[in-house]
Amino acid sequence: MPDDRPAKDQGPAVGPELSAEEFRRHAHAFVDWMADYYEHVEDYPVRAQVEPGDIAAKLPAHPPETGEPIEAIFQDFKDIILPGMTHWQHPSFFAYFPANGSPPSLLAEMLTASLGAQCMSWQTSPAATELEDRMMEWLRELLGLPEGFTGSIQDTASTGILTAIITAREWATDFAVNEKGLGGDAPLVLYCSAETHSATEKGAKIAGIGREHVRKVPIGAERGMDPAALAKMVEADKAAGLRPFCVVATLGSTGTGAMDPLAPIGEICKAETLWLHVDAAWAGSALILPETRAMIDGIGHVDSLVFNPHKWLFTNFDCSVLFVRESEYLIRSFEILPEFLKTREGERVNNYRDWGVPLGRRFRALKLWFVLRSYGAEGLRAKIREHIALAHDIAARIEAAPDFELVTPARLALFSFRYRPPDIAEGEALDTLNEVLFEALNDTGKVYFTQNRVDGDYVIRWSIGQTATERRHVEAAWALVQQTARALQT
Ligand code: PLP
């Protein structure tokens, strides 16, 4: 440090600013707590075992008039907040999709928070921009995406999907909607499968497409979008004077892990001049495995793709990545340049504020850099392979159990099942039995599943992907499922 710094102001005697020594002491105590937390995370109930209002009842109704010591606030964190947390890093978290973090990612988050940088443009933190450039290149290579795909890091897949839909809208209307608004022209129509995550419908609503113009294409083989049905719907819409403009295909649907067939869908998109976006929020991480890459056969016609390293690539929430084939369309859709945002570097650099909705941006590339370097590609592949193998193994055991039914097969590391004892008839009674089983399992605090309906039947969805999940956790969960289910019958 150069020694021409101005002398320190003594400052006011009150306030939360800690001296360097106090900060160091608290930070060390926090790090100790964090290390203990990870060491003992499986001792906590996976899903918070509280009722609505329990936590709020313990929080003062009014803000404090005078400052409080960090020790007191930290104590309340442990006593009040922690019991109301669902432990996403618990190795028996089998609900939703994972949000799997890792120690290197967490360490990087500490640095990011310390820097407190707002990385909207190259100039506001050149290293953040250039590291993000490089991380996007690394990810493109790791995932086997085509040369030329570029993109940026977003907060969530929902934002990435919205960004892609808006870009598609502008591309399809020669950038007219941005200028004139959604005027009197024929409505634009978007297509996705009946299995698509609600984020697509939400994005279409926000982008002004209107829910009425979101077509849910029926599913065909292995629950993927039926391309023949897509082609028919596009024809019918054109005949009705509407303007088909975009297809959102899913790799790894949230309910059942289904894969939409990109190659035939891409052919239709090419023939009909439709933007093809791929939502691979969860399954995208598995593209680092050469053996699962067949899911992107047909990537040649894809215009954009989103996936979440914060789901299954050991990078703490939040970190979602949006790739585009032509960044020009994306930037033209989002760029806005008031005088105060202009910087002298101009076109020589990427200014990621122009690559999506928010102006302000967190330095998310840093944690990806830590994760990719500390695991290495081999380390990441080994972890994901292990999750997939565990899922296939347990799914096979469920299939073999006489009183259980594997309802959807293990696709990557997701499957669904239900309890199906021989004396209960198909229908409402079986649904109710499984609903009771599902709630009973989650109430134990030992596991956390989510439910789904597959062709109307109530099923329990089992997703494996937590960083700390080992065979013993999955086997203990399967034993608990059987024991709890059979006890319901007695
Ligand atoms: N797409 C799919 C396939 C998902 O499974 C999810 C969430 O689980 C999303 C989109 C939305 O993700 P996010 O929470 O990052 O917005």
Side-chain angles (χ1 to χ4, degrees), residues 96-97 155-159 161 196-200 250-255 279-282 306 308 310-311 317 320 461:
Y96 304 99
F97 282 133
D155 52 5
T156 59
S158 301
T159 304
I161 294 167
T196 307
H197 190 276
S198 53
T200 289
T250 300
L251 295 179
S253 72
T254 316
D279 174 5
W282 163 69
V306 75
N308 286 355
H310 75 227
K311 278 191 174 8
F317 186 86
S320 180
R461 194 181 155 282

PDB file of all heavy atoms in Angstrom, residues 96-97 155-159 161 196-200 250-255 279-282 306 308 310-311 317 320 461, ligand 1:
ATOM      1  N   TYR A  96     -37.248 -30.715  -5.107  1.00  0.00           N
ATOM      2  CA  TYR A  96     -37.055 -29.783  -6.234  1.00  0.00           C
ATOM      3  C   TYR A  96     -35.905 -30.275  -7.118  1.00  0.00           C
ATOM      4  O   TYR A  96     -35.820 -31.441  -7.449  1.00  0.00           O
ATOM      5  CB  TYR A  96     -36.788 -28.358  -5.708  1.00  0.00           C
ATOM      6  CG  TYR A  96     -37.892 -27.868  -4.795  1.00  0.00           C
ATOM      7  CD1 TYR A  96     -37.765 -27.930  -3.399  1.00  0.00           C
ATOM      8  CD2 TYR A  96     -39.070 -27.374  -5.331  1.00  0.00           C
ATOM      9  CE1 TYR A  96     -38.790 -27.500  -2.568  1.00  0.00           C
ATOM     10  CE2 TYR A  96     -40.100 -26.927  -4.507  1.00  0.00           C
ATOM     11  CZ  TYR A  96     -39.947 -27.005  -3.139  1.00  0.00           C
ATOM     12  OH  TYR A  96     -40.957 -26.590  -2.330  1.00  0.00           O
ATOM     13  N   PHE A  97     -35.004 -29.333  -7.472  1.00  0.00           N
ATOM     14  CA  PHE A  97     -33.686 -29.706  -7.955  1.00  0.00           C
ATOM     15  C   PHE A  97     -32.720 -29.174  -6.914  1.00  0.00           C
ATOM     16  O   PHE A  97     -33.054 -28.242  -6.180  1.00  0.00           O
ATOM     17  CB  PHE A  97     -33.402 -29.090  -9.332  1.00  0.00           C
ATOM     18  CG  PHE A  97     -34.059 -29.810 -10.469  1.00  0.00           C
ATOM     19  CD1 PHE A  97     -34.750 -29.128 -11.454  1.00  0.00           C
ATOM     20  CD2 PHE A  97     -33.973 -31.202 -10.577  1.00  0.00           C
ATOM     21  CE1 PHE A  97     -35.354 -29.802 -12.502  1.00  0.00           C
ATOM     22  CE2 PHE A  97     -34.571 -31.880 -11.623  1.00  0.00           C
ATOM     23  CZ  PHE A  97     -35.266 -31.184 -12.584  1.00  0.00           C
ATOM     24  N   ASP A 155     -28.987 -14.119 -12.781  1.00  0.00           N
ATOM     25  CA  ASP A 155     -29.303 -14.614 -11.440  1.00  0.00           C
ATOM     26  C   ASP A 155     -29.978 -15.988 -11.512  1.00  0.00           C
ATOM     27  O   ASP A 155     -29.551 -16.928 -10.845  1.00  0.00           O
ATOM     28  CB  ASP A 155     -30.152 -13.609 -10.639  1.00  0.00           C
ATOM     29  CG  ASP A 155     -31.407 -13.129 -11.355  1.00  0.00           C
ATOM     30  OD1 ASP A 155     -31.706 -13.632 -12.472  1.00  0.00           O
ATOM     31  OD2 ASP A 155     -32.103 -12.263 -10.805  1.00  0.00           O
ATOM     32  N   THR A 156     -31.018 -16.108 -12.313  1.00  0.00           N
ATOM     33  CA  THR A 156     -31.782 -17.354 -12.346  1.00  0.00           C
ATOM     34  C   THR A 156     -32.159 -17.705 -13.784  1.00  0.00           C
ATOM     35  O   THR A 156     -32.088 -16.863 -14.683  1.00  0.00           O
ATOM     36  CB  THR A 156     -33.113 -17.217 -11.559  1.00  0.00           C
ATOM     37  OG1 THR A 156     -33.856 -16.158 -12.171  1.00  0.00           O
ATOM     38  CG2 THR A 156     -32.885 -16.923 -10.093  1.00  0.00           C
ATOM     39  N   ALA A 157     -32.608 -18.940 -13.950  1.00  0.00           N
ATOM     40  CA  ALA A 157     -33.062 -19.366 -15.278  1.00  0.00           C
ATOM     41  C   ALA A 157     -34.297 -18.577 -15.698  1.00  0.00           C
ATOM     42  O   ALA A 157     -34.493 -18.309 -16.889  1.00  0.00           O
ATOM     43  CB  ALA A 157     -33.366 -20.857 -15.265  1.00  0.00           C
ATOM     44  N   SER A 158     -35.134 -18.209 -14.739  1.00  0.00           N
ATOM     45  CA  SER A 158     -36.326 -17.428 -15.104  1.00  0.00           C
ATOM     46  C   SER A 158     -35.928 -16.149 -15.812  1.00  0.00           C
ATOM     47  O   SER A 158     -36.534 -15.759 -16.821  1.00  0.00           O
ATOM     48  CB  SER A 158     -37.143 -17.070 -13.850  1.00  0.00           C
ATOM     49  OG  SER A 158     -37.544 -18.231 -13.184  1.00  0.00           O
ATOM     50  N   THR A 159     -34.893 -15.488 -15.298  1.00  0.00           N
ATOM     51  CA  THR A 159     -34.403 -14.259 -15.928  1.00  0.00           C
ATOM     52  C   THR A 159     -33.811 -14.573 -17.296  1.00  0.00           C
ATOM     53  O   THR A 159     -34.021 -13.839 -18.268  1.00  0.00           O
ATOM     54  CB  THR A 159     -33.336 -13.589 -15.040  1.00  0.00           C
ATOM     55  OG1 THR A 159     -33.888 -13.368 -13.754  1.00  0.00           O
ATOM     56  CG2 THR A 159     -32.871 -12.279 -15.627  1.00  0.00           C
ATOM     57  N   ILE A 161     -34.589 -17.040 -19.289  1.00  0.00           N
ATOM     58  CA  ILE A 161     -35.669 -17.384 -20.234  1.00  0.00           C
ATOM     59  C   ILE A 161     -36.378 -16.112 -20.691  1.00  0.00           C
ATOM     60  O   ILE A 161     -36.642 -15.916 -21.880  1.00  0.00           O
ATOM     61  CB  ILE A 161     -36.647 -18.396 -19.581  1.00  0.00           C
ATOM     62  CG1 ILE A 161     -35.934 -19.730 -19.340  1.00  0.00           C
ATOM     63  CG2 ILE A 161     -37.891 -18.593 -20.445  1.00  0.00           C
ATOM     64  CD1 ILE A 161     -36.685 -20.690 -18.422  1.00  0.00           C
ATOM     65  N   THR A 196     -43.163 -28.186 -19.755  1.00  0.00           N
ATOM     66  CA  THR A 196     -42.237 -27.052 -19.558  1.00  0.00           C
ATOM     67  C   THR A 196     -42.419 -26.389 -18.196  1.00  0.00           C
ATOM     68  O   THR A 196     -43.540 -26.260 -17.707  1.00  0.00           O
ATOM     69  CB  THR A 196     -42.490 -25.999 -20.676  1.00  0.00           C
ATOM     70  OG1 THR A 196     -42.417 -26.674 -21.917  1.00  0.00           O
ATOM     71  CG2 THR A 196     -41.475 -24.892 -20.636  1.00  0.00           C
ATOM     72  N   HIS A 197     -41.329 -25.936 -17.631  1.00  0.00           N
ATOM     73  CA  HIS A 197     -41.396 -25.218 -16.350  1.00  0.00           C
ATOM     74  C   HIS A 197     -42.198 -23.919 -16.513  1.00  0.00           C
ATOM     75  O   HIS A 197     -42.129 -23.256 -17.559  1.00  0.00           O
ATOM     76  CB  HIS A 197     -39.974 -24.890 -15.886  1.00  0.00           C
ATOM     77  CG  HIS A 197     -39.904 -24.370 -14.485  1.00  0.00           C
ATOM     78  ND1 HIS A 197     -40.115 -23.051 -14.170  1.00  0.00           N
ATOM     79  CD2 HIS A 197     -39.645 -25.008 -13.314  1.00  0.00           C
ATOM     80  CE1 HIS A 197     -39.990 -22.889 -12.859  1.00  0.00           C
ATOM     81  NE2 HIS A 197     -39.706 -24.066 -12.318  1.00  0.00           N
ATOM     82  N   SER A 198     -42.895 -23.546 -15.456  1.00  0.00           N
ATOM     83  CA  SER A 198     -43.753 -22.352 -15.498  1.00  0.00           C
ATOM     84  C   SER A 198     -42.964 -21.075 -15.793  1.00  0.00           C
ATOM     85  O   SER A 198     -43.563 -20.047 -16.145  1.00  0.00           O
ATOM     86  CB  SER A 198     -44.489 -22.208 -14.166  1.00  0.00           C
ATOM     87  OG  SER A 198     -43.551 -22.247 -13.099  1.00  0.00           O
ATOM     88  N   ALA A 199     -41.638 -21.121 -15.674  1.00  0.00           N
ATOM     89  CA  ALA A 199     -40.827 -19.918 -15.947  1.00  0.00           C
ATOM     90  C   ALA A 199     -41.024 -19.445 -17.386  1.00  0.00           C
ATOM     91  O   ALA A 199     -40.916 -18.249 -17.662  1.00  0.00           O
ATOM     92  CB  ALA A 199     -39.349 -20.215 -15.691  1.00  0.00           C
ATOM     93  N   THR A 200     -41.322 -20.370 -18.300  1.00  0.00           N
ATOM     94  CA  THR A 200     -41.512 -19.968 -19.693  1.00  0.00           C
ATOM     95  C   THR A 200     -42.813 -19.177 -19.844  1.00  0.00           C
ATOM     96  O   THR A 200     -42.858 -18.123 -20.478  1.00  0.00           O
ATOM     97  CB  THR A 200     -41.490 -21.201 -20.621  1.00  0.00           C
ATOM     98  OG1 THR A 200     -40.147 -21.678 -20.663  1.00  0.00           O
ATOM     99  CG2 THR A 200     -41.948 -20.877 -22.025  1.00  0.00           C
ATOM    100  N   THR A 250     -37.201 -27.985 -23.714  1.00  0.00           N
ATOM    101  CA  THR A 250     -36.614 -28.267 -22.401  1.00  0.00           C
ATOM    102  C   THR A 250     -35.714 -29.495 -22.466  1.00  0.00           C
ATOM    103  O   THR A 250     -36.089 -30.515 -23.052  1.00  0.00           O
ATOM    104  CB  THR A 250     -37.743 -28.529 -21.368  1.00  0.00           C
ATOM    105  OG1 THR A 250     -38.559 -27.365 -21.291  1.00  0.00           O
ATOM    106  CG2 THR A 250     -37.184 -28.834 -19.989  1.00  0.00           C
ATOM    107  N   LEU A 251     -34.555 -29.380 -21.855  1.00  0.00           N
ATOM    108  CA  LEU A 251     -33.735 -30.569 -21.612  1.00  0.00           C
ATOM    109  C   LEU A 251     -33.777 -30.794 -20.107  1.00  0.00           C
ATOM    110  O   LEU A 251     -33.247 -29.981 -19.341  1.00  0.00           O
ATOM    111  CB  LEU A 251     -32.295 -30.352 -22.080  1.00  0.00           C
ATOM    112  CG  LEU A 251     -32.100 -30.155 -23.580  1.00  0.00           C
ATOM    113  CD1 LEU A 251     -30.631 -29.925 -23.916  1.00  0.00           C
ATOM    114  CD2 LEU A 251     -32.627 -31.366 -24.360  1.00  0.00           C
ATOM    115  N   GLY A 252     -34.430 -31.865 -19.695  1.00  0.00           N
ATOM    116  CA  GLY A 252     -34.529 -32.138 -18.259  1.00  0.00           C
ATOM    117  C   GLY A 252     -35.701 -31.412 -17.632  1.00  0.00           C
ATOM    118  O   GLY A 252     -35.520 -30.452 -16.879  1.00  0.00           O
ATOM    119  N   SER A 253     -36.924 -31.874 -17.942  1.00  0.00           N
ATOM    120  CA  SER A 253     -38.099 -31.177 -17.398  1.00  0.00           C
ATOM    121  C   SER A 253     -38.141 -31.345 -15.881  1.00  0.00           C
ATOM    122  O   SER A 253     -37.657 -32.332 -15.332  1.00  0.00           O
ATOM    123  CB  SER A 253     -39.383 -31.714 -18.039  1.00  0.00           C
ATOM    124  OG  SER A 253     -39.659 -33.008 -17.556  1.00  0.00           O
ATOM    125  N   THR A 254     -38.744 -30.360 -15.245  1.00  0.00           N
ATOM    126  CA  THR A 254     -38.743 -30.320 -13.784  1.00  0.00           C
ATOM    127  C   THR A 254     -39.507 -31.495 -13.189  1.00  0.00           C
ATOM    128  O   THR A 254     -39.102 -32.056 -12.178  1.00  0.00           O
ATOM    129  CB  THR A 254     -39.381 -28.997 -13.313  1.00  0.00           C
ATOM    130  OG1 THR A 254     -38.855 -27.963 -14.126  1.00  0.00           O
ATOM    131  CG2 THR A 254     -39.078 -28.714 -11.859  1.00  0.00           C
ATOM    132  N   GLY A 255     -40.578 -31.873 -13.828  1.00  0.00           N
ATOM    133  CA  GLY A 255     -41.387 -32.949 -13.262  1.00  0.00           C
ATOM    134  C   GLY A 255     -40.750 -34.310 -13.411  1.00  0.00           C
ATOM    135  O   GLY A 255     -40.683 -35.090 -12.451  1.00  0.00           O
ATOM    136  N   ASP A 279     -34.246 -24.587 -22.540  1.00  0.00           N
ATOM    137  CA  ASP A 279     -34.203 -24.476 -21.085  1.00  0.00           C
ATOM    138  C   ASP A 279     -33.580 -25.765 -20.543  1.00  0.00           C
ATOM    139  O   ASP A 279     -34.231 -26.799 -20.483  1.00  0.00           O
ATOM    140  CB  ASP A 279     -35.626 -24.286 -20.542  1.00  0.00           C
ATOM    141  CG  ASP A 279     -35.674 -24.304 -19.018  1.00  0.00           C
ATOM    142  OD1 ASP A 279     -34.593 -24.373 -18.387  1.00  0.00           O
ATOM    143  OD2 ASP A 279     -36.790 -24.261 -18.465  1.00  0.00           O
ATOM    144  N   ALA A 280     -32.290 -25.656 -20.176  1.00  0.00           N
ATOM    145  CA  ALA A 280     -31.595 -26.819 -19.612  1.00  0.00           C
ATOM    146  C   ALA A 280     -31.165 -26.469 -18.186  1.00  0.00           C
ATOM    147  O   ALA A 280     -30.052 -26.792 -17.760  1.00  0.00           O
ATOM    148  CB  ALA A 280     -30.390 -27.173 -20.474  1.00  0.00           C
ATOM    149  N   ALA A 281     -32.071 -25.782 -17.469  1.00  0.00           N
ATOM    150  CA  ALA A 281     -31.724 -25.213 -16.160  1.00  0.00           C
ATOM    151  C   ALA A 281     -31.008 -26.228 -15.278  1.00  0.00           C
ATOM    152  O   ALA A 281     -29.978 -25.948 -14.685  1.00  0.00           O
ATOM    153  CB  ALA A 281     -32.982 -24.691 -15.482  1.00  0.00           C
ATOM    154  N   TRP A 282     -31.557 -27.434 -15.207  1.00  0.00           N
ATOM    155  CA  TRP A 282     -30.951 -28.469 -14.362  1.00  0.00           C
ATOM    156  C   TRP A 282     -30.017 -29.372 -15.166  1.00  0.00           C
ATOM    157  O   TRP A 282     -28.845 -29.548 -14.830  1.00  0.00           O
ATOM    158  CB  TRP A 282     -32.074 -29.293 -13.709  1.00  0.00           C
ATOM    159  CG  TRP A 282     -31.654 -30.612 -13.153  1.00  0.00           C
ATOM    160  CD1 TRP A 282     -30.850 -30.820 -12.063  1.00  0.00           C
ATOM    161  CD2 TRP A 282     -32.017 -31.909 -13.642  1.00  0.00           C
ATOM    162  NE1 TRP A 282     -30.687 -32.174 -11.848  1.00  0.00           N
ATOM    163  CE2 TRP A 282     -31.390 -32.856 -12.797  1.00  0.00           C
ATOM    164  CE3 TRP A 282     -32.805 -32.355 -14.698  1.00  0.00           C
ATOM    165  CZ2 TRP A 282     -31.539 -34.236 -12.988  1.00  0.00           C
ATOM    166  CZ3 TRP A 282     -32.957 -33.723 -14.886  1.00  0.00           C
ATOM    167  CH2 TRP A 282     -32.327 -34.640 -14.031  1.00  0.00           C
ATOM    168  N   VAL A 306     -30.174 -21.818 -21.683  1.00  0.00           N
ATOM    169  CA  VAL A 306     -29.923 -21.410 -20.302  1.00  0.00           C
ATOM    170  C   VAL A 306     -29.657 -22.638 -19.448  1.00  0.00           C
ATOM    171  O   VAL A 306     -30.246 -23.706 -19.670  1.00  0.00           O
ATOM    172  CB  VAL A 306     -31.119 -20.599 -19.729  1.00  0.00           C
ATOM    173  CG1 VAL A 306     -32.312 -21.470 -19.391  1.00  0.00           C
ATOM    174  CG2 VAL A 306     -30.715 -19.805 -18.512  1.00  0.00           C
ATOM    175  N   ASN A 308     -28.256 -23.655 -15.124  1.00  0.00           N
ATOM    176  CA  ASN A 308     -27.946 -23.103 -13.806  1.00  0.00           C
ATOM    177  C   ASN A 308     -26.787 -23.832 -13.136  1.00  0.00           C
ATOM    178  O   ASN A 308     -27.002 -24.901 -12.540  1.00  0.00           O
ATOM    179  CB  ASN A 308     -29.160 -23.263 -12.864  1.00  0.00           C
ATOM    180  CG  ASN A 308     -30.292 -22.320 -13.166  1.00  0.00           C
ATOM    181  OD1 ASN A 308     -30.167 -21.452 -14.023  1.00  0.00           O
ATOM    182  ND2 ASN A 308     -31.387 -22.467 -12.456  1.00  0.00           N
ATOM    183  N   HIS A 310     -25.890 -23.077 -10.490  1.00  0.00           N
ATOM    184  CA  HIS A 310     -26.300 -23.119  -9.070  1.00  0.00           C
ATOM    185  C   HIS A 310     -27.229 -24.293  -8.763  1.00  0.00           C
ATOM    186  O   HIS A 310     -27.574 -24.511  -7.605  1.00  0.00           O
ATOM    187  CB  HIS A 310     -26.910 -21.784  -8.611  1.00  0.00           C
ATOM    188  CG  HIS A 310     -28.305 -21.486  -9.096  1.00  0.00           C
ATOM    189  ND1 HIS A 310     -28.655 -20.273  -9.628  1.00  0.00           N
ATOM    190  CD2 HIS A 310     -29.450 -22.211  -9.099  1.00  0.00           C
ATOM    191  CE1 HIS A 310     -29.929 -20.269  -9.950  1.00  0.00           C
ATOM    192  NE2 HIS A 310     -30.440 -21.443  -9.640  1.00  0.00           N
ATOM    193  N   LYS A 311     -27.643 -25.015  -9.766  1.00  0.00           N
ATOM    194  CA  LYS A 311     -28.430 -26.208  -9.461  1.00  0.00           C
ATOM    195  C   LYS A 311     -27.503 -27.399  -9.232  1.00  0.00           C
ATOM    196  O   LYS A 311     -27.543 -28.032  -8.186  1.00  0.00           O
ATOM    197  CB  LYS A 311     -29.404 -26.533 -10.592  1.00  0.00           C
ATOM    198  CG  LYS A 311     -30.701 -25.715 -10.553  1.00  0.00           C
ATOM    199  CD  LYS A 311     -31.700 -26.288 -11.530  1.00  0.00           C
ATOM    200  CE  LYS A 311     -33.081 -25.677 -11.509  1.00  0.00           C
ATOM    201  NZ  LYS A 311     -33.361 -24.502 -10.729  1.00  0.00           N
ATOM    202  N   PHE A 317     -25.954 -20.726  -5.034  1.00  0.00           N
ATOM    203  CA  PHE A 317     -27.022 -19.886  -5.530  1.00  0.00           C
ATOM    204  C   PHE A 317     -26.639 -18.429  -5.250  1.00  0.00           C
ATOM    205  O   PHE A 317     -26.218 -18.120  -4.140  1.00  0.00           O
ATOM    206  CB  PHE A 317     -28.327 -20.243  -4.797  1.00  0.00           C
ATOM    207  CG  PHE A 317     -29.513 -19.533  -5.341  1.00  0.00           C
ATOM    208  CD1 PHE A 317     -30.190 -20.054  -6.417  1.00  0.00           C
ATOM    209  CD2 PHE A 317     -29.931 -18.337  -4.787  1.00  0.00           C
ATOM    210  CE1 PHE A 317     -31.283 -19.392  -6.939  1.00  0.00           C
ATOM    211  CE2 PHE A 317     -31.014 -17.674  -5.311  1.00  0.00           C
ATOM    212  CZ  PHE A 317     -31.689 -18.211  -6.381  1.00  0.00           C
ATOM    213  N   SER A 320     -26.775 -18.411 -12.897  1.00  0.00           N
ATOM    214  CA  SER A 320     -27.405 -19.025 -14.057  1.00  0.00           C
ATOM    215  C   SER A 320     -26.705 -18.465 -15.291  1.00  0.00           C
ATOM    216  O   SER A 320     -26.242 -17.324 -15.271  1.00  0.00           O
ATOM    217  CB  SER A 320     -28.899 -18.672 -14.074  1.00  0.00           C
ATOM    218  OG  SER A 320     -29.527 -19.249 -15.189  1.00  0.00           O
ATOM    219  N   ARG A 461     -41.402 -37.354  -6.006  1.00  0.00           N
ATOM    220  CA  ARG A 461     -40.322 -37.052  -6.946  1.00  0.00           C
ATOM    221  C   ARG A 461     -39.014 -37.093  -6.168  1.00  0.00           C
ATOM    222  O   ARG A 461     -38.907 -36.500  -5.101  1.00  0.00           O
ATOM    223  CB  ARG A 461     -40.634 -35.644  -7.450  1.00  0.00           C
ATOM    224  CG  ARG A 461     -39.922 -35.165  -8.635  1.00  0.00           C
ATOM    225  CD  ARG A 461     -40.390 -33.733  -8.907  1.00  0.00           C
ATOM    226  NE  ARG A 461     -39.379 -33.019  -9.631  1.00  0.00           N
ATOM    227  CZ  ARG A 461     -38.290 -32.515  -9.080  1.00  0.00           C
ATOM    228  NH1 ARG A 461     -38.068 -32.602  -7.793  1.00  0.00           N
ATOM    229  NH2 ARG A 461     -37.415 -31.892  -9.842  1.00  0.00           N
TER     230      ARG A 461
HETATM  231  N1  PLP B   1     -36.481 -24.374 -15.865  1.00  0.00           N
HETATM  232  C1  PLP B   1     -36.436 -25.572 -15.271  1.00  0.00           C
HETATM  233  C2  PLP B   1     -36.408 -26.804 -16.127  1.00  0.00           C
HETATM  234  C3  PLP B   1     -36.405 -25.662 -13.872  1.00  0.00           C
HETATM  235  O1  PLP B   1     -36.392 -26.868 -13.294  1.00  0.00           O
HETATM  236  C4  PLP B   1     -36.438 -24.473 -13.106  1.00  0.00           C
HETATM  237  C5  PLP B   1     -36.414 -24.554 -11.642  1.00  0.00           C
HETATM  238  O2  PLP B   1     -36.265 -25.568 -11.036  1.00  0.00           O
HETATM  239  C6  PLP B   1     -36.478 -23.259 -13.774  1.00  0.00           C
HETATM  240  C7  PLP B   1     -36.506 -23.227 -15.149  1.00  0.00           C
HETATM  241  C8  PLP B   1     -36.503 -21.965 -13.013  1.00  0.00           C
HETATM  242  O3  PLP B   1     -35.251 -21.796 -12.416  1.00  0.00           O
HETATM  243  P1  PLP B   1     -34.836 -20.533 -11.591  1.00  0.00           P
HETATM  244  O4  PLP B   1     -35.228 -20.789 -10.180  1.00  0.00           O
HETATM  245  O5  PLP B   1     -33.342 -20.450 -11.747  1.00  0.00           O
HETATM  246  O6  PLP B   1     -35.520 -19.356 -12.156  1.00  0.00           O
END
